[in-house]
């Protein structure tokens, strides 16, 4: 919580007294003898006192649970009185991150509240907030509190921009978020933040994108992508300059990524023969990779089929499986979101309704052109049939009209004669009545 400001610095609520009075109270509480000695002198440097108090702030982790919040707030208040509080905040936060030993249940929450207080009391655009937030992320990660971190993720991009954070700090924040997400089982979030971290390297600086750190993160991203059960499209990854640089630093990984991006199961099998034992040496899960390549091969086959009908036998050959297993793999590829369609058991066909293109280059444009030509031919045939049916219907209608007119004409002639007879009969009756 914040209250009024003094000399441009945020203040904590319920803190009253001069700096010397509060510093002396803090020194006595923490048993910081060096700070107390400085305060006993007539002339004392505020910065010297703060340096001693911050060094002693590690003792906050040993205070009673009920006193922790008040003591930590007072320590934060004192640090923010400095003309240059930035030089103390990182050390202070590191000490606040030490969970109170006398609070086994509420300790992590107390430490998190103290760290959050520091963060909230700084001006929104203050660049030091980036480092404080990094400490908060590390704390949440260390204590398995990713759900608390999740609340901030949507705001993080805007915050980093407002703080004008360095690329190094930005990258450290993204990577720590990725680690925390992965440890919490949030694979998708983790992967997204690894990509964010990779994009912080300057694409125009070759030394940056080929640096040890850039290549380490790039390899990690590649491994996450190819082993993921939910990630099947690799365009976003392959366009990152540091990932492209793997073709020089780690050519085998680069080759494997290309296979998963746009090639098929046969290419993967050739890769394994060419680099026998390499997958196992790299501690990659061959069974998982093999299964994923089958799903990707199924998607490529569906995308390359102009008629949108694939014979079971063709699927079985491409996936190198018995034909009786085709339906199981069709269900799996639909569940993966790569293809939409349905099985025709009677015809032994898989009918493709919609397919996800793994890549969209010249080859895919040609396939699309072929499919459009096929659709055009089909539509022209359908149009021809419709026009013929329309002509037939028109001819039939004309015949029906002519037949109806003929019947009406015939009915009109006979009707007129009948009407004359009836008029004659009526006239005769009228004369007979008059005679009577």
């Amino acid at each position: 919580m914040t209250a009024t400001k003094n000399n441009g610095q945020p203040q904590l609520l319920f803190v009253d007294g001069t700096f010397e009075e509060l510093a002396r109270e803090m020194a006595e509480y923490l048993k910081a003898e060096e700070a107390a000695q400085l305060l006993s002198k007539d002339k004392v440097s505020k910065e010297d006192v703060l340096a001693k108090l911050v060094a002693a702030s590690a003792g906050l982790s040993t205070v009673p649970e009920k006193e922790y919040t008040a003591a930590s707030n007072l320590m934060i208040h004192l640090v923010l009185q400095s003309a240059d509080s930035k030089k103390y905040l990182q050390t202070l936060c590191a000490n606040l991150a030490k969970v109170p030993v006398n609070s086994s249940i509420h300790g992590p929450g107390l430490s998190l509240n103290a760290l959050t207080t520091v963060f909230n009391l700084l001006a929104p655009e203050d660049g030091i907030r980036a480092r404080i937030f990094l400490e908060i992320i590390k704390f949440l990660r260390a204590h398995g509190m990713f759900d608390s971190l999740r609340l901030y993720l949507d705001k993080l991009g805007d915050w980093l921009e407002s703080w004008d954070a360095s690329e190094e700090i930005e990258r450290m924040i993204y990577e720590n978020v990725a680690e925390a997400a992965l440890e919490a089982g949030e694979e998708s979030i983790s992967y997204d933040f690894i990509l964010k971290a990779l994009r912080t390297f300057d694409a125009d600086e070759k030394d940056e994108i080929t640096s040890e750190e850039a290549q380490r993160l790039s390899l990690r991203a590649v491994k996450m992508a190819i082993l993921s059960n939910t990630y099947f499209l690799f365009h976003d990854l392959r366009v990152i300059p540091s990932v492209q640089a793997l073709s020089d630093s780690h050519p085998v990984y680069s080759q494997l990524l290309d296979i998963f991006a746009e090639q098929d199961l046969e290419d993967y099998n050739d890769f394994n023969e060419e680099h026998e034992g390499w997958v196992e040496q790299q501690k990659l899960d061959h069974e998982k990779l093999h299964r994923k390549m089958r799903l990707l091969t199924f998607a490529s086959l569906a995308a390359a089929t102009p008629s949108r009908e694939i014979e079971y036998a063709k699927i079985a050959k491409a996936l190198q499986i018995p034909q009786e297993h085709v339906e199981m793999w069709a269900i799996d590829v639909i569940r993966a979101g790569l293809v939409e369609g349905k099985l025709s058991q009677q015809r032994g066909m898989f009918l493709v309704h919609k397919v996800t293109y793994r890549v969209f280059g010249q080859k895919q444009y040609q396939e699309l052109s072929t499919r459009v030509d096929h659709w055009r031919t089909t539509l022209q045939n359908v149009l021809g049939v419709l026009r013929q049916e329309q002509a037939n219907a028109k001819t039939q209608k004309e015949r029906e009209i002519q037949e109806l007119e003929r019947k009406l004409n015939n009915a009109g002639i006979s009707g007129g004669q009948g009407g004359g007879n009836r008029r004659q009969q009526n006239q005769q009756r009228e004369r007979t009545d008059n005679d009577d």
Side-chain angles (χ1 to χ4, degrees):
M1 295 184 295
T2 58
T4 59
K5 294 185 178 181
N6 181 22
N7 296 327
Q9 294 294 336
Q11 300 295 301
L12 294 172
L13 288 176
F14 312 124
V15 176
D16 189 21
T18 66
F19 175 83
E20 287 75 13
E21 292 171 343
L22 296 173
R24 187 174 290 106
E25 180 182 341
M26 192 80 252
E28 292 174 359
Y29 186 78
L30 293 176
K31 296 180 174 60
E33 295 182 2
E34 292 183 354
Q37 290 176 0
L38 288 174
L39 288 164
S40 64
K41 297 179 180 180
D42 293 336
K43 292 185 179 181
V44 58
S45 167
K46 179 188 293 186
E47 300 304 316
D48 290 342
V49 171
L50 283 175
K52 300 300 182 181
L53 288 176
V54 170
S57 64
L60 290 170
S61 63
T62 63
V63 305
E65 178 180 317
K66 292 182 179 180
E67 299 175 8
Y68 181 84
T69 297
S72 60
N73 281 353
L74 178 55
M75 188 71 241
I76 295 167
H77 169 79
L78 289 169
V79 168
L80 292 178
Q81 305 312 299
S82 169
D84 186 15
S85 60
K86 295 179 178 61
K87 63 184 180 182
Y88 305 116
L89 285 176
Q90 201 161 359
T91 300
L92 175 61
C93 287
N95 289 334
L96 293 175
K98 297 173 182 176
V99 175
V101 296
N102 296 319
S103 180
S104 58
I105 297 176
H106 304 294
L110 292 173
S111 287
L112 178 60
N113 286 340
L115 291 169
T116 304
T117 297
V118 176
F119 180 81
N120 288 335
L121 288 176
L122 295 169
E125 68 281 359
D126 195 332
I128 193 62
R129 274 186 136 204
R131 290 194 174 275
I132 304 304
F133 191 71
L134 178 58
E135 294 299 326
I136 292 174
I137 294 172
K138 290 178 179 179
F139 179 86
L140 293 173
R141 178 186 166 194
H143 296 278
M145 301 169 72
F146 181 74
D147 284 341
S148 297
L149 177 59
R150 191 194 305 270
L151 303 174
Y152 302 111
L153 298 185
D154 289 341
K155 306 174 184 176
L156 187 51
D158 292 337
W159 281 353
L160 288 169
E161 185 176 351
S162 68
W163 299 333
D164 195 22
S166 68
E167 292 177 350
E168 181 183 3
I169 291 296
E170 190 175 348
R171 185 158 54 247
M172 291 171 65
I173 287 176
Y174 285 147
E175 187 175 3
N176 274 274
V177 170
E179 291 285 359
L182 187 62
E183 290 162 4
E186 297 285 357
E187 182 183 285
S188 178
I189 295 175
S190 178
Y191 180 75
D192 287 343
F193 276 87
I194 285 294
L195 294 189
K196 289 178 185 290
L198 285 173
R199 294 187 185 109
T200 63
F201 292 104
D202 190 341
D204 296 327
E205 294 291 337
K206 186 175 180 180
D207 290 344
E208 274 200 37
I209 63 176
T210 59
S211 66
E212 183 178 349
E213 184 180 8
Q215 294 302 282
R216 175 184 63 82
L217 282 175
S218 297
L219 275 180
R220 181 177 174 187
V222 170
K223 291 177 183 178
M224 290 181 71
I226 64 177
L227 288 170
S228 171
N229 292 324
T230 58
Y231 191 78
F232 295 98
L233 303 179
F234 301 86
H235 175 74
D236 287 350
L237 178 62
R238 295 174 81 200
V239 298
I240 295 175
S242 63
V243 174
Q244 294 175 349
L246 289 174
S247 60
D248 293 325
S249 62
H250 297 81
V252 182
Y253 266 107
S254 183
Q255 181 184 356
L256 184 60
L257 177 59
D258 289 342
I259 290 171
F260 273 83
E262 54 185 323
Q263 298 177 31
D264 296 332
L265 180 62
E266 186 175 350
D267 299 296
Y268 176 71
N269 290 336
D270 291 343
F271 170 88
N272 276 327
E273 291 180 8
E274 181 184 354
H275 305 283
E276 186 176 358
W278 182 86
V279 169
E280 290 75 16
Q281 291 172 2
Q282 298 298 313
K283 297 181 180 180
L284 300 174
D285 189 332
H286 169 70
E287 293 301 321
K288 181 179 284 190
L289 297 181
H290 197 265
R291 180 182 183 278
K292 188 167 183 175
M293 277 308 308
R294 278 183 167 152
L295 294 174
L296 292 169
T297 299
F298 199 134
S300 292
L301 183 62
T305 304
S307 65
R308 293 291 180 149
E309 295 182 347
I310 317 174
E311 297 176 357
Y312 279 16
K314 191 173 183 180
I315 297 172
K317 181 179 179 181
L319 271 60
Q320 300 175 12
I321 56 173
Q323 191 162 323
E324 56 266 26
H325 292 172
V326 166
E327 294 180 2
M328 177 187 71
W329 282 96
I331 293 171
D332 285 347
V333 80
I334 291 172
R335 285 176 176 169
L338 289 168
V339 178
E340 292 181 15
K342 66 179 181 178
L343 295 160
S344 176
Q345 294 176 325
Q346 292 182 339
R347 297 173 58 200
M349 292 278 194
F350 180 76
L351 311 179
V352 181
H353 295 164
K354 184 180 178 181
V355 63
T356 300
Y357 280 92
R358 295 165 61 191
V359 293
F360 208 88
Q362 184 62 32
K363 180 181 178 182
Q364 287 69 39
Y365 276 112
Q366 291 174 351
E367 290 174 355
L368 181 59
S369 177
T370 301
R371 184 171 292 111
V372 169
D373 290 340
H374 176 78
W375 289 342
R376 184 185 294 113
T377 301
T378 301
L379 289 173
Q380 287 175 343
N381 292 337
V382 170
L383 184 59
V385 171
L386 289 174
R387 285 175 175 170
Q388 184 61 47
E389 288 297 323
Q390 187 179 29
N392 293 340
K394 184 177 180 180
T395 302
Q396 180 65 25
K397 186 175 181 180
E398 289 175 351
R399 289 175 181 172
E400 291 175 354
I401 292 173
Q402 291 173 358
E403 180 64 20
L404 180 60
E405 288 177 348
R406 185 184 65 78
K407 290 180 178 180
L408 288 174
N409 289 335
N410 291 338
I413 294 172
S414 60
Q417 292 174 348
N421 291 336
R422 282 194 293 274
R423 284 196 296 272
Q424 291 176 0
Q425 291 172 359
N426 290 335
Q427 289 173 356
Q428 289 175 356
R429 279 197 201 93
E430 289 175 357
R431 285 197 297 271
T432 303
D433 292 339
N434 292 334
D435 292 342
D436 293 344

